[in-house]
């Protein structure tokens, strides 16, 4: 980005609005995805392709969360980047890559559930964990190649002793970046809406099954995936489309700048809402969260006997011990039937 080509906005309301939003997204996202990764690493005794997809969704969300402190510092300094050119490229690349990764794996989760519900005997449902891992590697490769251009360009704009670090240029269209930004939304949106409609329609057609709890859970799960996707990504895409349609009058417009930055923060909140997807994905996650909550409440009760062994026990050991009973119950006949039919 050439010096002097970026907009200078007096007062810059963006710097006042964004830090609280990013701090909220960081705290809740780190907590939710940290617990989710703990559940995956210490709680899941049996892994399936659907588990592999959800695990990679959690990884993409966590890596995105890691970048938020740098962006928070950027906004707290009145949009002045204090870490030179290379860190700017890396942070923007990581954020774009993991945003795309979150979108891709949300879509894959919806497609996986579509085949299990609508086409339960399809060969896709019988793929091995190794094949699923290969699919994940291919998807990550596509995501990285699709966002690699952010590492190849200079995104610093120096103006009046202040250096901004933005992936979008607010004076004109951004070519490939705008194409990827729109394509990453509309193509997965079409796939997710199609899968949601077909799943709901298929279950409604099975009158004898539609009243069962597991069928209702399947509908609830795909609705949560759709709601999270639309809530987190539609606002920023709409704001960017509005700018592109009115670029001649919107360039350097403070309200348009503010709208784009605030709606972009919604995409970061995807990492905060995705734990809902994990919660509804399998019976084991609600049990895992409940187990941790009960243990925490017991430890806080006055007069609760605390032995040095419990106090000094590592968090990983607590997670492992609390998950043994849940993992065993997860392998019961009812849960196995749920996994074969729905998960």
């Amino acid at each position: 980005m050439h010096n002097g080509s970026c907009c200078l906005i007096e007062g810059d309301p963006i710097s006042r609005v964004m830090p609280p939003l990013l701090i909220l997204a960081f705290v809740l996202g780190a907590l939710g995805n940290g617990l989710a990764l703990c559940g995956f690493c210490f709680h899941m005794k049996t892994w399936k392709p659907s588990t592999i997809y959800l695990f990679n969704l959690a990884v993409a969300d966590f890596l995105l969360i890691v970048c938020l402190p740098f962006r928070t510092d950027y906004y707290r300094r009145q949009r002045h980047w204090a870490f030179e050119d290379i860190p700017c490229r890396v942070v923007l690349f990581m954020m774009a890559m993991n945003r795309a990764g979150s979108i891709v794996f949300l879509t894959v989760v919806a497609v996986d559930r579509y085949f299990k519900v609508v086409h339960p005997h399809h060969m896709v449902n019988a793929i091995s964990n190794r094949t699923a891992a290969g699919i994940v590697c291919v998807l990550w490769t596509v995501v990285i190649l699709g966002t690699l251009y952010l590492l190849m360009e200079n995104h610093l704009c120096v103006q009046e002793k202040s250096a901004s670090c933005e992936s979008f240029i607010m004076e004109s269209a951004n070519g490939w970046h705008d194409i990827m930004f729109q394509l990453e939304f509309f193509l997965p949106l079409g796939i997710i809406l199609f899968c949601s409609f077909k799943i709901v329609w298929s279950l409604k057609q099975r009158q004898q099954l539609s009243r069962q709890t597991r069928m209702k859970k399947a509908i609830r799960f795909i609705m949560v995936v759709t709601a999270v996707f639309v809530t987190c990504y539609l606002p920023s895409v709409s704001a960017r489309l509005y700018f592109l349609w009115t670029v001649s009058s919107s360039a350097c417009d403070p309200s348009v700048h503010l709208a784009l930055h605030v709606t972009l923060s919604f995409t970061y909140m995807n990492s905060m809402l995705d734990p809902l997807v994990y919660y509804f994905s399998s019976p084991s996650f609600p049990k895992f969260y409940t187990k941790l909550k009960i243990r925490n409440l017991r430890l806080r009760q006055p007069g609760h006997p605390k032995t040095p062994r419990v106090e000094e026990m590592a968090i990983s050991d607590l997670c492992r011990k609390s998950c043994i009973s849940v993992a065993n119950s997860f392998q019961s006949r009812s849960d196995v039937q749920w996994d074969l039919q729905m998960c």
Side-chain angles (χ1 to χ4, degrees):
M1 188 182 297
H2 299 292
N3 292 352
S5 65
C6 49
C7 295
L8 182 63
I9 301 176
E10 295 184 3
D12 198 7
I14 299 171
S15 298
R16 298 192 298 270
V17 173
M18 290 299 294
L21 294 177
L22 296 185
I23 292 173
L24 176 66
F26 174 77
V27 172
L28 296 182
L31 179 62
N33 286 282
L35 286 175
L37 289 174
C38 175
F40 281 118
C41 294
F42 301 107
H43 180 58
M44 290 293 178
K45 186 175 181 179
T46 303
W47 283 60
K48 303 169 296 179
S50 58
T51 310
I52 294 173
Y53 303 145
L54 287 169
F55 174 75
N56 280 270
L57 175 61
V59 170
D61 289 337
F62 192 80
L63 291 176
L64 178 61
I65 289 293
V66 169
C67 300
L68 293 187
F70 295 96
R71 297 302 289 177
T72 303
D73 177 79
Y74 170 66
Y75 286 113
R76 286 178 59 85
R77 295 175 184 268
Q78 306 294 317
R79 286 203 289 170
H80 171 69
W81 184 255
F83 303 104
E84 303 299 333
D85 174 43
I86 298 301
C88 173
R89 299 188 191 195
V90 171
V91 168
L92 293 180
F93 165 71
M94 289 285 292
M95 295 180 71
M97 179 188 69
N98 291 297
R99 173 187 181 273
S102 295
I103 291 174
V104 165
F105 288 111
L106 267 180
T107 307
V108 171
V109 166
V111 172
D112 178 71
R113 190 56 55 96
Y114 161 78
F115 276 103
K116 283 184 169 57
V117 174
V118 181
H119 304 288
H121 303 295
H122 196 282
M123 60 180 298
V124 171
N125 297 319
I127 65 173
S128 64
N129 287 348
R130 177 174 296 183
T131 302
I135 293 173
V136 165
C137 291
V138 171
L139 292 175
W140 273 119
T141 301
V142 172
V143 166
I144 292 172
L145 292 177
T147 53
L148 193 62
Y149 64 93
L150 288 169
L151 279 177
M152 307 303 169
E153 302 173 355
N154 178 18
H155 303 282
L156 286 181
C157 179
V158 180
Q159 192 173 47
E160 297 186 4
K161 298 182 180 180
S162 179
S164 65
C165 174
E166 304 284 356
S167 58
F168 282 110
I169 303 173
M170 291 301 293
E171 295 80 31
S172 63
N174 285 221
W176 178 248
H177 190 47
D178 272 315
I179 293 174
M180 284 295 297
F181 192 73
Q182 304 299 330
L183 186 63
E184 286 172 1
F185 174 76
F186 285 107
L187 181 59
L189 176 65
I191 296 174
I192 289 175
L193 290 179
F194 171 80
C195 293
S196 302
F197 173 78
K198 293 295 289 185
I199 288 174
V200 174
W201 177 261
S202 177
L203 293 177
K204 293 298 183 183
Q205 293 297 101
R206 307 173 192 177
Q207 295 297 329
Q208 73 280 13
L209 296 177
S210 61
R211 298 184 182 90
Q212 293 185 10
T213 301
R214 290 188 177 91
M215 299 301 147
K216 294 179 180 178
K217 286 182 178 180
I219 295 177
R220 191 182 306 157
F221 172 78
I222 198 64
M223 290 296 102
V224 167
V225 172
T226 305
V228 168
F229 184 84
V230 172
T231 301
C232 293
Y233 299 114
L234 180 60
S236 60
V237 170
S238 300
R240 188 60 188 175
L241 282 176
Y242 174 80
F243 169 79
L244 294 176
W245 288 335
T246 61
V247 64
S248 59
S249 59
S250 296
C252 295
D253 185 337
S255 61
V256 175
H257 272 243
L258 180 62
L260 181 60
H261 283 267
V262 171
T263 53
L264 279 174
S265 70
F266 280 47
T267 68
Y268 311 146
M269 291 183 182
N270 171 71
S271 301
M272 183 177 69
L273 296 177
D274 275 346
L276 290 175
V277 176
Y278 316 140
Y279 185 87
F280 289 105
S281 66
S282 168
S284 59
F285 267 97
K287 295 176 183 178
F288 171 61
Y289 295 142
T290 302
K291 198 83 172 181
L292 290 180
K293 182 178 179 181
I294 292 175
R295 183 177 293 274
N296 185 51
L297 290 175
R298 286 178 177 176
L299 291 176
R300 290 186 177 185
Q301 284 180 352
H304 179 76
K306 298 181 180 179
T307 64
R309 182 182 63 84
V310 173
E311 291 181 335
E312 296 175 2
M313 188 178 296
I315 295 178
S316 60
D317 291 333
L318 288 175
C319 290
R320 189 177 297 106
K321 284 180 175 294
S322 66
C323 295
I324 289 175
S325 60
V326 180
N328 290 334
S329 64
F330 179 70
Q331 293 179 327
S332 65
R333 182 174 181 180
S334 60
D335 287 337
V336 169
Q337 182 180 3
W338 162 252
D339 289 338
L340 291 176
Q341 294 181 357
M342 303 305 303
C343 296

